[in-house]
Amino acid sequence: MSHIRSISIGIWMKSGSRDEVAELNGISHFVEHMVFKGTTSRSAQDIARQVDSIGGNMDAFTGKETICFNIKVLDEHLPVAIDILSDLVLNPVFAPKDIIREKGVILEEIKMDEDNPDYLVHEIFTQNFWKDHPLGKPILGTKDTVGSFEQEKLFAFYRQRFAPNNIIISAAGNLNHSRFVDLIKGRFLALNSVPNGYHQPAPAVTPRIITRNKKSLEQVQLCLGVPSHPISHEKRYVSYVLNTVLGGGMSSRLFQKIREEQGLVYSIYSDLNPYRDTGCLTIYAGTSLESTRSVVDSILTEFRELKNTPIPADELRRAKDQLKGSLMLSLESSTSRMSNLARQQMYFERFFSMDETINQIESVSAEELSEMANHLFQSDKIAITVLGNLDGLKLSREHVMC
């Protein structure tokens, strides 16, 4: 990206919280935190000061299928950025005193998320949708699992995951490829491979209807979802367009019908969450207790409409243009481009050009959208989680026929 002055670098692990055994739930996220607490040659303060001294921005996150450590700097600071980032990833010390302190930090993070009703309704939904499978477990872990972490467990986990066959290093910005490769080689060449056998079978879906009472909430939080395709499915672009039409923005059907026309919600949207072997399309809404049934009915009405009536040409055109526009605008950022490269390598082992992606979006037809809607929106596959001061509200399978 020769027109910009920044470089974004990411070191990605091809495994995340779904690859943890139950008793170590949350250890991926814990290790992600702990690498910032010091290395064999830098203290936590050294790390922070050196990143600040070059005006850099360093961050990390843990997902269901990945851990990522990333840094964004001016192009002139590339060698320093690689030195700091690789030191974190390759030479953590996991000092016992830091482990004790970080347990407190993460337990507070868990409490913070539990106090966030939007987060909590999604978490309850996910845990029940993929019940008894690691994909349904919280990324942060639980109070009990986090409390059990100690240095030996962290190093055992670290040595298994932070290995060449589980790492992707991506970068985007104003950089020279061969120079970047040489700098990375100098840091990572000595890493030894380890067996990688922790990818478990695909989870079964449990489409349950869950009501959870929480009297302190003013609003009812609603999460409704259906199983969808894995991330590399050949019909994935049909799913993207369908999601955009359904709840992907202010012109989407859910927003226009349920917020603008009926005034039943402030926030409503749909979201696709595809993984390597499964996926989920979810709809979130926040509403009043009195309107909860009406919101569910209205969502199901939109499902039926998408199944039975071909989408008009102008709406299809608008959805495609919205999808293309948001994609192209996001990739003007070096961080987004770096992330896109890593995910394409992780799931496809190849790079898709922008033209190729746009052609795939453009090729989606109204007939394919109807077929996809009929495949996804089946009454016996709909899962719902309702959270709030429910005052005896009940929802049964009869209420979700579409």
Side-chain angles (χ1 to χ4, degrees):
M1 303 170 72
S2 57
H3 57 287
I4 62 175
R5 287 294 309 276
S6 68
I7 295 176
S8 293
I9 309 157
I11 300 176
W12 299 70
M13 308 300 139
K14 294 191 286 183
S15 58
S17 65
R18 71 167 291 179
D19 301 301
E20 300 164 346
V21 293
E23 60 270 22
L24 294 179
N25 177 218
I27 197 168
S28 301
H29 175 256
F30 200 94
V31 166
E32 175 233 302
H33 272 232
M34 284 301 302
V35 303
F36 286 87
K37 301 306 164 194
T39 71
T40 51
S41 61
R42 286 179 170 92
S43 67
Q45 195 175 53
D46 291 336
I47 293 164
R49 282 179 174 169
Q50 288 178 23
V51 173
D52 283 351
S53 72
I54 56 173
N57 181 16
M58 188 159 65
D59 201 3
F61 64 86
T62 302
K64 298 283 188 183
E65 295 184 335
T66 188
I67 313 170
C68 173
F69 305 91
N70 57 82
I71 189 167
K72 183 173 183 176
V73 294
L74 292 178
D75 49 17
E76 65 197 79
H77 298 308
L78 177 64
V80 181
I82 290 176
D83 184 54
I84 298 168
L85 194 62
S86 61
D87 191 29
L88 293 191
V89 171
L90 296 174
N91 305 305
V93 291
F94 302 145
K97 69 179 191 306
D98 292 331
I99 292 172
I100 293 167
R101 195 181 301 123
E102 206 57 30
K103 283 181 185 180
V105 172
I106 290 174
L107 290 175
E108 290 305 318
E109 189 178 359
I110 291 171
K111 289 178 199 169
M112 182 179 73
D113 283 345
E114 286 174 349
D115 283 344
N116 177 350
D118 183 352
Y119 169 87
L120 188 58
V121 73
H122 280 97
E123 195 59 55
I124 297 168
F125 175 88
T126 302
Q127 288 182 29
N128 286 282
F129 195 76
W130 285 301
K131 194 167 179 58
D132 301 324
H133 189 278
L135 196 56
K137 297 279 194 291
I139 291 171
L140 300 186
T142 66
K143 183 180 175 184
D144 290 338
T145 57
V146 170
S148 74
F149 297 155
E150 38 81 22
Q151 189 184 53
E152 194 176 324
K153 284 183 180 177
L154 297 188
F155 270 120
F157 172 87
Y158 170 84
R159 282 190 287 267
Q160 184 195 33
R161 302 299 166 90
F162 287 61
N165 46 336
N166 198 41
I167 292 177
I168 290 171
I169 300 172
S170 66
N174 190 17
L175 82 170
N176 174 276
H177 179 77
S178 57
R179 180 177 178 237
F180 178 73
V181 170
D182 288 341
L183 287 167
I184 292 296
K185 247 186 210 173
R187 302 286 168 182
F188 288 84
L189 207 55
L191 269 189
N192 296 316
S193 284
V194 295
N196 174 346
Y198 39 77
H199 284 180
Q200 76 290 91
V205 169
T206 312
R208 303 175 71 195
I209 296 174
I210 307 287
T211 52
R212 183 73 60 87
N213 209 47
K214 190 165 182 174
K215 290 187 175 178
S216 61
L217 295 184
E218 293 290 330
Q219 242 193 353
V220 171
Q221 308 291 311
L222 177 72
C223 193
L224 182 152
V226 292
S228 62
H229 294 304
I231 200 163
S232 58
H233 194 274
E234 60 180 4
K235 293 285 186 182
R236 61 189 178 276
Y237 290 98
V238 182
S239 301
Y240 299 156
V241 176
L242 181 66
N243 178 62
T244 304
V245 170
L246 178 63
M250 289 196 300
S251 66
S252 69
R253 293 186 174 192
L254 292 177
F255 193 94
Q256 286 296 316
K257 299 281 177 64
I258 300 176
R259 174 176 154 148
E260 298 296 279
E261 291 181 18
Q262 298 179 65
L264 298 178
V265 299
Y266 173 74
S267 178
I268 188 165
Y269 59 85
S270 64
D271 203 13
L272 268 175
N273 297 288
Y275 299 105
R276 60 178 174 246
D277 51 11
T278 187
C280 181
L281 187 153
T282 56
I283 293 157
Y284 164 81
T287 189
S288 65
L289 178 62
E290 299 74 31
S291 298
T292 301
R293 285 241 172 101
S294 298
V295 170
V296 172
D297 290 344
S298 296
I299 292 168
L300 298 173
T301 298
E302 296 312 315
F303 284 1
R304 283 190 288 273
E305 181 76 13
L306 284 165
K307 287 165 71 171
N308 300 325
T309 308
I311 181 172
D314 61 332
E315 190 178 8
L316 179 58
R317 176 76 270 144
R318 195 165 58 242
K320 288 179 178 180
D321 288 344
Q322 181 188 338
L323 199 54
K324 291 189 303 184
S326 61
L327 179 67
M328 285 190 269
L329 288 174
S330 74
L331 291 181
E332 289 186 356
S333 147
S334 60
T335 303
S336 295
R337 184 74 65 94
M338 175 273 293
S339 299
N340 190 46
L341 286 171
R343 292 183 192 282
Q344 289 190 4
Q345 180 63 30
M346 197 178 301
Y347 292 108
F348 302 96
E349 297 189 335
R350 57 160 291 208
F351 173 69
F352 292 86
S353 69
M354 182 60 73
D355 287 346
E356 192 173 354
T357 301
I358 286 171
N359 288 339
Q360 291 276 12
I361 293 170
E362 284 293 349
S363 71
V364 173
S365 67
E367 293 74 25
E368 286 178 307
L369 290 176
S370 295
E371 285 171 17
M372 182 65 73
N374 278 281
H375 175 75
L376 295 181
F377 303 141
Q378 299 179 33
S379 300
D380 60 343
K381 291 183 178 178
I382 295 173
I384 299 182
T385 297
V386 186
L387 172 72
N389 187 2
L390 301 182
D391 193 27
L393 174 80
K394 294 280 188 291
L395 281 176
S396 65
R397 189 56 60 188
E398 291 73 52
H399 293 123
V400 294
M401 303 305 287
C402 70

